[in-house]
Every structure is written in structure tokens, then in C-alpha cells.
Amino acid sequence: IARTVVENFFATVGQMNFYDDHSLTTRELFEQFFPGRSDVHRLLMEPIAYANGSTLDEPAITYGIVFSNFMNKGVYTFQGGTDKLIGMMAEELRQNGVIICTGAKVDRIVVEGGKVRGVAVGGRVISAPSVVSNSGITNTVNNLAGREAFDSAFLDQFDQVKVNNSSCQVYFGLRPGESFDNVGDLLFTSTAREFSSDEMLDMETRSRTFSIYYPRTRPEHPDYTVVASMNGNYDDWAFLDKAAYKAAKQAMIERCFVDLERYIPGIRAQVDWVEAATPRTFNRYTLHTKGTSFGTKFEGLGISRSIFKAVPGLFHVGSVGIIMSGWLGAINYGVIVANDVDSYLRS
Ligand SMILES: Cc1cc2nc3c(=O)[nH]c(=O)nc-3n(C[C@H](O)[C@H](O)[C@H](O)COP(=O)(O)OP(=O)(O)OC[C@H]3O[C@@H](n4cnc5c(N)ncnc54)[C@H](O)[C@@H]3O)c2cc1C
């Protein structure tokens, strides 16, 4: 492929933004630049499919915005682990006067007279002129505010929203004192013959990423750990009985071991902790509809952006619309919504 074609591709995706044409799909974009080159399409798409669950049939801008973010800044592994990062965020919030209540499930967002009045939690109502829900846009509308809070025009649009896929992960912990050589931080691997979004979602997918954590990644916990990540469909896992679910998790662990041994021979004998998480796990702990890992497909963003016009005082943040998903997307979107809330409260 001529260098100029590659450079033009980078320049084109680098200029894409939210206000561009939404009708061009990622598949069409790839065909424009790399016609018939399914190997190149795979190279470009497979890592992004893990990062936000998107497929070749989403609007090309969702690819362009996320891909150019990655290519501008690269992949960043936070040193110190998630616990440290969350601790830093919590500290920042407290310093700004925020009271954090954990273990407090919101049962309902109270809407009266067409406006938000607060939340019902643990048998009491906390009054508030605005509520910012982080519980997924589908949960927020269907289960927390309740469909009766919205007019039919809003609900017609809302009912078009599709949730994104979920994930599976397998966690491997090495026995203290065991180690392996540096094989990189993030390995994308697949023995599938060609790229297919459906193959990546299959329970027996042959496509996965390995995130490798060395003692330097978390100096406070100087261990070697590996996390295998796969995309997954909630419905494939949700309805298995206890024995079938356990067996399916065990089979997934075994497939991951086989793949991992190609990169770290002998790791099986070094590991003393293995456990698996599935779409059921993510649904259980995050409450997201069908355990979605990345919010909704693109159309969810418009709903999230307009929810406060439908019910004054009600806002939604968190993963939504592919471009606002992942940690970075959710954080960026939080800044945008915080600005809306600020304007609302001051108006
Ligand atoms: C397996 C997996 C791997 C991922 N890997 C990456 C990655 O490498 N990089 C990356 O950038 N992103 C990754 N993501 C995506 C990232 O985790 C999400 O995009 C991000 O966490 C979304 O933030 P959120 O605020 O929308 O939702 P969440 O982080 O899920 O937060 C929602 C919170 O709200 C709580 N909640 C829900 N309902 C209620 C209620 N009624 N009352 C009280 N609390 C409630 C939930 O318990 C949860 O704590 C991954 C996701 C998964 C599942």
C-alpha cells in the first residue's frame, strides 16, 4: 500500500468529528482507502472492537474519533492500579465538598410535575433540583425515572437505542516469587481465519487480548498478573443453569490458558489463582442493561444529550454512543454534562 494512501487515511480520520455526515459506515470508509484488503480492515478494526464494541457497520465517525485519539496519544497504562486511581478521584471529590455514599442503590429517580425532585434510596427520599444518573441510559429511562416520566416522541426515539455488547475476562495470578520475561503490555491475538464481529462475540471466540501486568505496573503490589479479555453476548450466558454456567466458564479458562501458553510457555505451572467473569458478572455488579461494557450504540448519545429537555433536572453521564465510552470517553462526557448541569442550576 502506497505511503500516501496511509497518510491520507490518517488525515481523513484525524479530521472527523461529531458534526460530520453520519451515514458513511466504517466498512465503507475502509473500502474507500483499502479496497478488498480484509487483512488491513482487520488490523484497523480488531483492537477498536475490544475497546468499544463497535463493528464495521457503525457510523465511520465513531471509528475516526476513537482511532485518532488512540493514535495521537497511544495506550496508557496507569501506574498503581485501578484502586489507586479511584482513591485519587474520591479524594478530589471530597476536597470539593462531595459526600460519597457507597452501598446505596438508588431505587427510583423522583419526577413530579414534569421535573426532577430527587432520588429514592434505602427507603428515604433525598431531594435535589437535579439528578445526574450514571446508571446507563436504558436503566435510567426504563427503571429509574420510569417510562411514564417521558412523552411519546421521546420514547419513540429512545426505543431505537441498542445497547452495546458485554465482555468476558479471565484473571490469572502468579504464585509469589514466580516471574516471566517481558512479552509486552497488551497482546491482541486471534486464531480465527478472518475478522468477524460475530466471531468475536461467540462464547467460543478464538479472539482475545491479554493485558500483562508486571511488578512495575503496580509497585505497591509487585505481582505478575495476566487478564484475558473477550467480547461477549449477555444472552448467551444469562440463561445457563448453574452446572452449565460453571462448565462454560471452565472451558473459557482452558481456551485462554492454551492461547496464553503460546506467549508465556509454562505459565500454567506458575499460576495459583484463576477466575472468570462473564456478562452475568458485569450485569450483577454494574447493573448495566445486559451487562453492557460500553453503554449503547451511537444513537444512544442523542437520547442522553436530550434527556434534560424531556425531564428538566434529569441528566445522564457515563458510557454512551461509542464515542463517549471507555474511561476516557466517559470522563470527557462527564465534563460536558457537568457544564449542562451547572447552566441548569444557575438558570
Ligand atoms: C471487562 C471490561 C473491560 C473494559 N476495559 C476497558 C479498558 O481497558 N479501557 C477503558 O477505557 N474502558 C474499558 N472498559 C469500559 C469502561 O469500564 C467503561 O466505559 C466505564 O467504566 C463506563 O463508566 P460508566 O460510568 O458509564 O459506568 P460504570 O463504570 O459501570 O459505573 C456505573 C456505576 O453505577 C452504579 N450503579 C448503577 N445503577 C445504580 C443505582 N441504581 N444506584 C446506585 N448505583 C448504581 C454501578 O454499580 C457502577 O458502579 C471495560 C469494561 C469492561 C466491562
Side-chain angles (χ1 to χ4, degrees), residues 95-225:
Q95 278 178 14
N96 282 283
V98 175
I99 299 166
I100 302 171
C101 306
T102 55
K105 181 170 177 284
V106 172
D107 297 315
R108 203 162 46 85
I109 295 169
V110 182
V111 180
E112 278 166 12
K115 279 188 175 178
V116 152
R117 300 292 174 195
V119 291
V121 51
R124 54 188 273 233
V125 171
I126 301 174
S127 302
S130 81
V131 169
V132 182
S133 169
N134 191 43
S135 181
I137 187 71
T138 40
N139 252 351
T140 301
V141 172
N142 283 330
N143 305 327
L144 292 177
R147 293 174 68 89
E148 60 283 1
F150 301 90
D151 65 28
S152 59
F154 180 89
L155 289 175
D156 284 348
Q157 267 203 316
F158 168 76
D159 287 335
Q160 311 294 318
V161 174
K162 293 182 282 302
V163 292
N164 215 325
N165 61 257
S166 186
S167 308
C168 294
Q169 290 194 311
V170 176
Y171 312 95
F172 301 93
L174 258 67
R175 197 174 297 114
E178 297 283 0
S179 64
F180 47 72
D181 292 340
N182 188 341
V183 291
D185 295 313
L186 189 58
L187 303 176
F188 294 98
T189 166
S190 177
T191 53
R193 279 181 67 81
E194 51 190 35
F195 169 73
S196 147
S197 302
D198 289 339
E199 191 283 330
M200 287 179 73
L201 289 167
D202 195 282
M203 281 177 89
E204 297 187 14
T205 178
R206 299 197 291 173
S207 310
R208 55 192 112 258
T209 67
F210 290 110
S211 305
I212 323 272
Y213 301 95
Y214 304 89
R216 66 178 150 80
T217 323
R218 281 175 298 191
E220 297 89 339
H221 303 280
D223 308 313
Y224 287 82
T225 51

Side-chain angles (χ1 to χ4, degrees), residues 23 49 64 76 79 93 110 120 140 163 170-171 196 222 250 258-259 262 277-278 283 292 294 297:
S23 62
Y76 176 67
Q79 260 214 358
L93 288 169
V110 182
T140 301
V163 292
V170 176
Y171 312 95
S196 147
Q250 199 50 47
V258 169
D259 278 350
R262 293 192 287 122
T278 73
N283 172 252
T292 176
F294 317 105
K297 296 293 187 185

Side-chain angles (χ1 to χ4, degrees), residues 44 65 170 255 264 266 279 339:
L44 293 171
I65 291 171
V170 176
R255 286 191 295 274
I264 309 174
N339 202 34

